[in-house]
Amino acid sequence: MTSVKAGVKGSMMSQLVKKIKSSLQTIGNDFADAIYANKKKSIAFVIVGLLVVTGLTFFMLTMNTQIRAAQIDNLIYEELPTKKMVPFSYDQGDAIIHEKKAISVMFAKPNQPDTNQAMKIIKDKDKELNRNFYYYPLVYQTSEVANTYDLAPDEVTFIFFQNGKEKNRFVLSSIDNPEENFIPELNRLPMWNIKAQEN
């Protein structure tokens, strides 16, 4: 009895598969006939479809960049502690580092304890800063940035570049008594050649 039921079910399944296969073949044949009958219209539809897909893809990529830039501007750059801290435009940091002859850069994740400490000291001792430096917030593509500049993403790292090449660096956590020694160390960051001569 069970084998009879199984046989009936198997037969029904095979008939269903044949019907679906036949329907798909009919649809495919009808589609091919429609294309051959209206070649110009079909080519036009395909071209228009490709243009629409390409346009939507470009629009989505552009909007994604603009959304990220707006988020960084609103959430991070509005609260910088001094005008001497220059923000990078979103996705422009690497290009600026390579274009500038000499540039000091702070790499840090926003709203981390060390970052907040650095921001507070910079705000309190703004007048002691002797030059501008750039802020590279580690928000998007953090691991890629960390690999490119060989840094730990969870630390506040300051690097001086000359002609796109690193010449000097320090990490905030390596500074003894940051309240007193952090700003002088930041001011000395571009003086890598003096340090090299002293060693």
Side-chain angles (χ1 to χ4, degrees):
M1 194 77 168
T2 307
S3 61
V4 172
K5 284 183 181 178
V8 171
K9 281 185 182 179
S11 174
M12 289 174 62
M13 285 300 286
S14 65
Q15 286 178 354
L16 182 62
V17 168
K18 284 179 184 177
K19 282 184 181 179
I20 292 171
K21 189 175 177 183
S22 175
S23 297
L24 290 173
Q25 284 177 340
T26 303
I27 291 168
N29 290 337
D30 291 345
F31 181 70
D33 290 343
I35 288 175
Y36 285 123
N38 301 303
K39 286 182 184 178
K40 289 182 182 177
K41 282 186 181 178
S42 300
I43 290 170
F45 280 128
V46 168
I47 290 171
V48 169
L50 287 173
L51 288 173
V52 168
V53 169
T54 304
L56 286 173
T57 303
F58 179 75
F59 176 75
M60 288 177 67
L61 291 173
T62 304
M63 285 304 296
N64 192 30
T65 300
Q66 289 177 353
I67 289 168
R68 287 183 172 186
Q71 285 175 334
I72 288 176
D73 287 345
N74 292 331
L75 300 175
I76 299 167
Y77 291 158
E78 278 189 0
E79 298 181 7
L80 294 183
T82 175
K83 290 183 178 178
K84 291 175 183 171
M85 180 184 277
V86 183
F88 282 135
S89 297
Y90 172 71
D91 218 19
Q92 297 299 311
D94 298 327
I96 293 171
I97 287 170
H98 285 89
E99 287 168 9
K100 292 264 186 187
K101 286 189 175 180
I103 183 173
S104 296
V105 183
M106 171 181 156
F107 296 86
K109 282 185 178 178
N111 300 318
Q112 297 285 315
D114 279 1
T115 307
N116 293 339
Q117 181 186 21
M119 295 291 195
K120 183 181 182 312
I121 295 170
I122 290 166
K123 183 177 182 179
D124 294 344
K125 302 200 171 189
D126 176 26
K127 291 179 181 174
E128 294 180 28
L129 284 167
N130 62 10
R131 58 177 48 86
N132 292 348
F133 64 96
Y134 284 80
Y135 178 33
Y136 198 133
L138 302 178
V139 179
Y140 301 108
Q141 301 169 331
T142 302
S143 58
E144 288 89 339
V145 175
N147 288 336
T148 300
Y149 299 104
D150 190 27
L151 49 90
D154 292 325
E155 293 195 289
V156 180
T157 305
F158 292 83
I159 303 178
F160 174 71
F161 298 91
Q162 188 172 53
N163 297 318
K165 294 185 180 176
E166 180 183 330
K167 296 297 181 180
N168 195 12
R169 79 162 56 200
F170 74 88
V171 178
L172 180 65
S173 61
S174 69
I175 304 293
D176 292 328
N177 190 7
E179 292 290 336
E180 294 299 320
N181 299 323
F182 166 48
I183 297 299
E185 189 68 24
L186 182 54
N187 287 336
R188 284 193 297 269
L189 184 64
M191 302 176 189
W192 62 275
N193 50 357
I194 294 171
K195 284 189 174 183
Q197 289 170 8
E198 287 175 351
N199 291 339

